[in-house]
Amino acid sequence: MDVSELQTFEHDVLVIGAGGAGLRAAIQCSARGLNTGVISKSLLGKAHTVMAEGGMAAALGNVDSRDNWKVHFRDTMRGGKFLNVWRMAELHAKQAPARVRELEEWGAVFDRTKDGLISQRNFGGHRYPRLAHVGDRTGLELIRSLQDHGIHQGIHFHMECTALGLLKDGDRIAGVVGYWRETGRFVVFKAPAVILATGGAGKAWRVTSNSWEYSGDGLALALHAGAELMDVEFTQFHPTGMVWPPSVRGTLVTEGVRGDGGILKNKDGDRFMFKYIPAKFAAETADTVEEAERWLEGDKKARRPPELLTRDEVARSITAEIKAGRGSPHGGVFLDIASRRPADFIKRKLPSMYHQFKELAEVDITKEPMEVGPTLHYFMGGIRVDAESQMTKVPGLFACGECGAGLHGANRLGGNSLSDLIVFGKLAGDGAAEYIKGMGNSPTTDAGQIESIIRGATDLLNRESGENPYVLMDELQDLMSRCVGIVRTGEELQEGVDELEKLSKKVAKVKAHGASQYNPGWHTAIDLQSLLMVSQAVTRAALMREESRGAHTRNDFPGERDEWLKYNVVIRKAADGTLDVEKVERPPAPANLSEIANAKIEDLESGKVGKDA
Amino acid sequence: MAKRTFRIWRGDVKGGDFEEFQEEVSEGMVVLDMIHRIQAKQATDLAVRWNCKAGKCGSCSVEINGKPRLACMTRMNIFGPDETITVQPLKTFPVIKDLVCDVSWNYKQNRRIRPFKPKPKGEDGQHRMYQDDVDRVQEFRKCIECYLCQTVCHILRDRDKQDEFIGPRFMIRVAGLEMNPLDDDDRVPELKKEYGSGMCNITRCCTEVCPEHIGITDNGIIPMKERVVDRFYDPVVWITSKLTGKPLKRTTKAEDDAAGGKTRDDR
Ligand SMILES: Cc1cc2nc3c(=O)[nH]c(=O)nc-3n(C[C@H](O)[C@H](O)[C@H](O)COP(=O)(O)OP(=O)(O)OC[C@H]3O[C@@H](n4cnc5c(N)ncnc54)[C@H](O)[C@@H]3O)c2cc1C
Ligand code: SF4
Ligand code: SF4
Ligand code: FES
């Protein structure tokens, strides 16, 4: 192989990923005068972000003027069970409003309030209506606004180009090797700064709202390059995915349904969430149907219905109902908006849910309840970064969006992801610009590294025989669903670790048939490598955390343990290629922030607490 | 459930042909599920684009039994029990491999359209616009860029004409900008002179295939054509605009630039 013959691009920054985070980061890099490239596995505008439904959280205070960044911050910390990186939760709550308004400057058209401002809707765990939205297609609005603005900013978009490996010059980042899906040819990007914005790894589970793109590539790339992962045991199961028909099992049903008044019932018609209100949220949750109904009618004194508890609570409650034999015919529970809101309201506020159920399940949600159950949805954990600059441990390597860790702690609030993307996307762009400003000489790429990355990919095609990648993908999904589910035990997790070890031997022998041009079998074989590595990281982190917190539930260690609040589980790749999993002590909580997060809501609103923050 | 027969086009730019597959269908399945099943069991390198599997991303556009559709939203139970299901790539764009074609032409069209230009904010630092004023714009913004409308438009099917008309998807992109109450730019001269609005003869084929049920022709293209007519062919509108307030331009930005920043209308 003659590396010098390979197609080569030079950029100041290469952004890997064209979802909300990647696009926002690229726009910032370009605004800072950097020569910016973006690569993405799929076409521009098709990333996961396009699927987001319910909205993006920002304390604009347009619908309820009592809202402000402190309440948003407090909600985020409480939702994350206080494991969030304090500074990130602060930056996010403070900067989200400006980032959302900026989207309007770039052409986004949000739903409006009566006064002509950006409207905001209720969502789980958010004290006030806080989610800027466009019906139930907010992600489409976000990605299209960034895309249509971004293409005029001099950014170089390389579509359907997958990153295979990162290049380093000593400790520093030097570039990326990728391949074009269209031709199967390899390409080198020389870049002193690389921003990972690759999203999560939900494809390791069978029932998931995630697509083929979510194979954890960014996490694996980061590990290989010497960066660390953090909090990956916290995998969010969204409480409401479709359960029927089988082919759409896992497809998301937005929390907006509950935000707009939908309720959960078991097969006996019982509104069961009232039974599952945890002590911690009792003071702020309605405990009678009557009070919950008053809240829906807009009574500001009424507390929020229990259907709007945080996702971890709702998902566990649904699982408990199903286990107790009170589930719906296809193994879920009922989500009913039909009896709560008029048909035209539902069609206007939830058009894509209406469409989705009508077309895919032949259910008219304005007339009948939906059947729903938990679905693997989101990675709270990911690549460990510095809160201010989004830089990883590796100089020149940055991460933002779902592939990054820290903002959400043990559980993410709905709507906090889209705002995460634009807040930390921008900060990552700034971080990269600062890094380049302070950088000495430019790094150089190494032919040996390039060759070995390429050989890793071509081997999968060239070997004589081997396992079918789709079969192995299936085995992995079976294994993760069985051993690393919504409720976990040490025994199952250990089994998971052992089985993954066995599976990794098979994955090492996977064989893709056909040529390299647009070959999904080959792509799957490549994706499997990342997915397996991330699955191992998740399983081992879950085994290490001996408590139940947020989205991580251990049957053998029920309840939160104060001791564990002091630690993050951090993972890195050891010299021999195996994973090092370690408990790392968290820095102490900043006093002013801790006061806000722990304040009684009345004290926060009256200004008794957090006045000068 | 029963086995069904599929004819799937396989090949690349150099040529190709239909290949027949038999595969078991289960309850509730869509065509994309079947393609995946065939891929996993019989043809691991069968190329197809997809992402959301719920009609939200516009990746999986193909022609199924001759009709452009989203494979992920086409239920198997709409076909007769013995019907063979034929799947092929969109005909209007060059094929890359199997069911995947090169849609980059569309991305180039989008770049030709000047982006949103915001009016100044109100005194309170906020933009205000009302739901009634944005309903129409939001209708256009539902577009998932599946390009099914581009595929059926007879003007674009004739690839020689692709330089003359940006196509229905981008006509409504322009409409969404022109009707946006906050936008402060004017793309009407471009509509006529660069985007080829006059080429559309309102056959409404685009509207029929739109999976988002956007009123492409009636709500988007026709009003844009009317703006062009008002601007270029209605002397009353034109003169009044010159006398009062903001003059309506008849020159495009490119023409202005060529004239050294002065509009031809002013000269
Ligand atoms: C159905 C659904 C509904 C949701 N609803 C909401 C909601 O209402 N509110 C909310 O806040 N959040 C929601 N979320 C979560 C949120 O949408 C995602 O977390 C968020 O969009 C992730 O954005 P991102 O920019 O980090 O990554 P993505 O948008 O997923 O983009 C990842 C990008 O990385 C690229 N990529 C990955 N690997 C590689 C590689 N190896 N080489 C090159 N490119 C690569 C991909 O092609 C893609 O362009 C929802 C998620 C789903 C699935
Ligand atoms: S109505 Fe116009 S744009 Fe639509 S298909 Fe017919 S000619 Fe093409
Ligand atoms: S207008 Fe409709 S058919 Fe055309 S690209 Fe958009 S969603 Fe697809
Ligand atoms: S896969 Fe997204 S529209 Fe079909």
Side-chain angles (χ1 to χ4, degrees):
Chain A
M1 185 190 323
D2 185 357
V3 169
S4 65
E5 305 259 288
L6 288 171
Q7 183 184 26
T8 303
F9 291 91
E10 289 190 34
H11 295 297
D12 295 329
V13 185
L14 186 76
V15 181
I16 307 182
L23 291 175
R24 186 63 192 83
I27 289 169
Q28 193 62 15
C29 291
S30 167
R32 299 280 307 251
L34 303 178
N35 170 337
T36 309
V38 177
I39 64 172
S40 62
K41 289 210 269 193
S42 44
L43 296 171
L44 193 52
K46 314 288 182 198
H48 254 75
T49 300
V50 80
M51 301 175 214
E53 296 163 358
M56 65 188 98
L60 300 162
N62 288 352
V63 172
D64 194 320
S65 59
R66 289 175 294 179
D67 203 11
N68 59 48
W69 80 264
K70 282 170 265 181
V71 187
H72 190 185
F73 167 77
R74 177 182 182 268
D75 289 344
T76 302
M77 291 303 300
R78 287 161 57 93
K81 317 294 161 179
F82 287 85
L83 204 68
N84 324 51
V85 172
W86 293 84
R87 176 66 176 150
M88 288 179 86
E90 178 192 14
L91 285 169
H92 170 252
K94 280 183 170 165
Q95 297 184 2
R99 293 287 80 76
V100 170
R101 291 205 183 96
E102 174 181 76
L103 291 172
E104 209 166 51
E105 293 284 297
W106 296 344
V109 182
F110 292 102
D111 286 356
R112 316 307 294 178
T113 65
K114 285 202 187 63
D115 305 326
L117 299 175
I118 296 172
S119 179
Q120 297 181 273
R121 68 153 48 112
N122 279 299
F123 238 55
H126 293 283
R127 176 150 182 97
Y128 298 118
R130 190 177 282 145
L131 271 67
H133 61 277
V134 184
D136 52 4
R137 57 160 191 85
T138 314
L140 172 62
E141 191 66 22
L142 172 63
I143 202 163
R144 200 68 81 232
S145 302
L146 293 173
Q147 172 186 348
D148 287 341
H149 178 72
I151 56 171
H152 296 284
Q153 308 306 313
I155 301 164
H156 304 270
F157 289 101
H158 311 280
M159 302 196 289
E160 296 199 308
C161 179
T162 306
L164 279 171
L166 301 177
L167 299 170
K168 288 180 74 182
D169 177 358
D171 285 344
R172 301 184 293 164
I173 280 295
V176 177
V177 178
Y179 69 91
W180 300 105
R181 296 173 90 74
E182 180 173 341
T183 57
R185 295 215 185 91
F186 297 97
V187 51
V188 176
F189 297 92
K190 295 187 174 177
V194 170
I195 300 179
L196 297 168
T198 52
K203 208 57 206 166
W205 283 261
R206 161 118 334 125
V207 177
T208 173
S209 65
N210 293 177
S211 88
W212 63 270
E213 281 202 295
Y214 266 18
S215 51
D217 297 2
L219 279 64
L221 290 168
L223 279 174
H224 285 303
E228 298 165 327
L229 305 187
M230 182 174 95
D231 293 343
V232 285
E233 66 274 31
F234 300 106
T235 53
Q236 180 166 74
F237 289 84
H238 193 291
T240 60
M242 291 176 82
V243 295
W244 194 91
S247 68
V248 295
R249 194 171 188 117
T251 299
L252 195 77
V253 181
T254 174
E255 193 165 321
V257 176
R258 282 170 286 137
D260 287 345
I263 56 173
L264 292 165
K265 291 188 206 164
N266 63 20
K267 79 171 196 304
D268 308 320
D270 195 15
R271 198 169 159 186
F272 58 83
M273 278 309 299
F274 285 98
K275 289 189 303 202
Y276 296 98
I277 304 171
K280 212 186 311 165
F281 292 102
E284 290 165 32
T285 309
D287 51 8
T288 62
V289 171
E290 181 272 329
E291 185 178 357
E293 298 296 304
R294 275 196 285 119
W295 177 88
L296 186 60
E297 281 151 26
D299 180 348
K300 290 200 169 170
K301 282 199 219 73
R303 294 170 298 175
R304 304 161 55 77
E307 279 87 3
L308 290 179
L309 284 165
T310 54
R311 288 181 176 171
D312 49 339
E313 310 289 355
V314 180
R316 267 194 303 272
S317 311
I318 291 175
T319 309
E321 284 295 305
I322 298 170
K323 265 213 170 122
R326 294 188 291 270
S328 64
H330 299 102
V333 294
F334 294 107
L335 173 61
D336 173 24
I337 183 120
S339 71
R340 316 269 303 161
R341 295 286 196 180
D344 62 332
F345 175 94
I346 298 171
K347 286 189 202 164
R348 185 162 44 81
K349 289 309 250 182
L350 302 162
S352 81
M353 287 303 105
Y354 174 74
H355 194 62
Q356 179 175 313
F357 272 89
K358 187 120 193 153
E359 305 268 323
L360 296 174
E362 290 169 25
V363 166
D364 180 347
I365 68 167
T366 67
K367 299 207 176 76
E368 310 159 63
M370 299 159 243
E371 271 189 75
V372 296
T375 180
L376 193 284
H377 183 54
Y378 186 85
F379 262 58
M380 267 72 71
I383 303 157
R384 191 181 192 202
V385 293
D386 171 66
E388 311 285 336
S389 66
Q390 311 307 303
M391 190 152 89
T392 65
K393 233 180 84 182
V394 178
L397 183 63
F398 298 77
C400 58
E402 186 168 343
C403 72
L407 169 62
H408 308 291
N411 174 57
R412 171 177 74 94
L413 297 185
N416 267 2
S417 168
L418 294 188
S419 43
D420 170 0
L421 310 182
I422 48 182
V423 168
F424 293 102
K426 172 181 182 290
L427 292 178
D430 283 329
E434 291 302 318
Y435 171 77
I436 287 178
K437 221 195 306 177
M439 183 180 73
N441 59 343
S442 298
T444 51
T445 51
D446 171 74
Q449 290 178 25
I450 297 173
E451 261 177 56
S452 109
I453 291 168
I454 292 177
R455 193 158 323 105
T458 46
D459 276 356
L460 308 177
L461 277 171
N462 294 344
R463 62 181 55 135
E464 290 288 303
S465 64
E467 307 260 357
N468 175 334
Y470 297 97
V471 171
L472 294 184
M473 184 65 94
D474 220 48
E475 277 183 34
L476 175 64
Q477 292 176 340
D478 252 0
L479 195 171
M480 290 302 282
S481 309
R482 196 173 70 241
C483 300
V484 198
I486 190 164
V487 178
R488 302 160 176 179
T489 67
E491 207 175 319
E492 282 167 358
L493 290 169
Q494 186 57 55
E495 184 192 326
V497 172
D498 299 340
E499 295 278 318
L500 282 167
E501 190 55 41
K502 280 188 222 150
L503 187 60
S504 71
K505 305 245 153 62
K506 290 198 206 168
V507 169
K509 284 187 284 186
V510 63
K511 154 87 185 153
H513 290 271
S516 64
Q517 185 200 15
Y518 221 114
N519 180 346
W522 185 43
H523 304 159
T524 304
I526 293 171
D527 290 350
L528 257 177
Q529 320 286 326
S530 321
L531 208 48
L532 182 78
M533 187 165 200
V534 175
S535 300
Q536 285 172 323
V538 170
T539 312
R540 292 195 43 202
L543 187 59
M544 177 168 276
R545 184 170 284 275
E546 295 186 331
E547 67 159 347
S548 297
R549 181 181 298 275
H552 173 65
T553 308
R554 287 282 299 262
N555 239 350
D556 42 353
F557 294 95
E560 290 174 16
R561 314 271 160 124
D562 289 345
E563 166 67 10
W564 267 102
L565 185 54
K566 294 191 210 129
Y567 299 101
N568 293 114
V569 177
V570 170
I571 295 165
R572 39 186 102 72
K573 201 179 105 174
D576 64 355
T578 59
L579 296 179
D580 265 348
V581 186
E582 197 192 341
K583 265 168 88 171
V584 172
E585 195 154 349
R586 300 171 67 204
N592 62 331
L593 294 180
S594 166
E595 195 188 5
I596 295 171
N598 288 297
K600 281 219 242 54
I601 189 74
E602 300 80 34
D603 294 344
L604 201 57
E605 277 168 3
S606 67
K608 206 165 132 192
V609 169
K611 204 180 235 146
D612 346 285
Chain B
M1 266 193 142
K3 281 216 165 173
R4 300 291 299 261
T5 306
F6 293 81
R7 287 174 70 237
I8 298 182
W9 195 88
R10 311 259 352 235
D12 56 26
V13 266
K14 293 186 246 66
D17 206 349
F18 287 96
E19 196 175 323
E20 208 168 285
F21 299 94
Q22 307 270 322
E23 197 47 77
E24 203 84 29
V25 179
S26 7
E27 198 176 4
M29 278 193 149
V30 294
V31 170
L32 184 62
D33 293 321
M34 297 312 302
I35 296 173
H36 282 158
R37 210 168 246 198
I38 291 166
Q39 204 181 46
K41 295 188 179 166
Q42 306 187 38
T44 56
D45 61 346
L46 170 60
V48 61
R49 276 200 190 101
W50 68 285
N51 244 314
C52 68
K53 224 169 134 337
K56 294 190 169 77
C57 71
S59 302
C60 62
S61 306
V62 289
E63 302 201 2
I64 302 173
N65 289 358
K67 235 192 120 187
R69 311 181 70 121
L70 297 179
C72 73
M73 296 302 277
T74 305
R75 294 270 301 240
M76 285 301 297
N77 64 5
I78 67 168
F79 303 107
D82 300 317
E83 204 174 336
T84 296
I85 293 131
T86 304
V87 191
Q88 65 197 99
L90 300 181
K91 287 200 197 98
T92 304
F93 303 108
V95 70
I96 292 175
K97 191 182 152 207
D98 304 340
L99 301 176
V100 173
C101 56
D102 177 0
V103 291
S104 58
W105 178 82
N106 293 285
Y107 288 88
K108 291 197 190 103
Q109 304 317 301
N110 197 22
R111 261 180 208 270
R112 293 170 60 194
I113 301 169
R114 265 202 312 288
F116 176 75
K117 180 175 157 207
K119 289 186 177 153
K121 286 182 185 162
E123 280 181 1
D124 58 355
Q126 302 259 31
H127 283 303
R128 275 177 210 266
M129 49 183 175
Y130 297 89
Q131 191 60 45
D132 284 349
D133 301 332
V134 301
D135 278 343
R136 179 61 12 101
V137 178
Q138 287 187 330
E139 177 188 356
F140 302 139
R141 294 185 68 83
K142 286 195 305 189
C143 171
I144 56 174
E145 297 201 328
C146 64
Y147 308 128
L148 292 179
C149 58
Q150 304 284 80
T151 309
V152 291
C153 178
H154 64 96
I155 303 164
L156 303 183
R157 283 225 156 191
D158 179 356
R159 285 188 197 165
D160 292 343
K161 298 235 179 75
Q162 286 187 351
D163 288 337
E164 294 166 44
F165 182 45
I166 54 173
R169 164 22 188 168
F170 298 103
M171 285 299 289
I172 62 157
R173 161 95 182 113
V174 178
L177 288 163
E178 289 298 302
M179 295 183 195
N180 186 324
L182 291 185
D183 181 67
D184 205 14
D185 207 337
D186 174 6
R187 302 163 191 83
V188 174
E190 278 81 359
L191 266 173
K192 175 177 154 59
K193 297 182 190 174
E194 294 177 3
Y195 306 155
S197 63
M199 312 247 332
C200 162
N201 52 351
I202 320 192
T203 58
R204 294 195 174 79
C205 313
C206 50
T207 308
E208 264 166 48
V209 295
C210 176
E212 288 290 312
H213 307 293
I214 299 169
I216 303 175
T217 337
D218 291 12
N219 298 343
I221 297 181
I222 292 176
M224 286 304 105
K225 282 171 155 296
E226 284 169 357
R227 287 190 187 193
V228 169
V229 169
D230 284 352
R231 180 80 54 96
F232 285 90
Y233 306 105
D234 186 331
V236 182
V237 173
W238 169 244
I239 304 264
T240 339
S241 93
K242 287 203 100 167
L243 299 175
T244 60
K246 188 175 147 196
L248 298 173
K249 290 157 64 95
R250 283 180 176 172
T251 50
T252 64
K253 176 149 188 316
E255 287 170 340
D256 290 351
D257 290 347
K262 280 183 90 184
T263 72
R264 290 196 186 169
D265 300 330
D266 296 339
R267 280 186 295 165

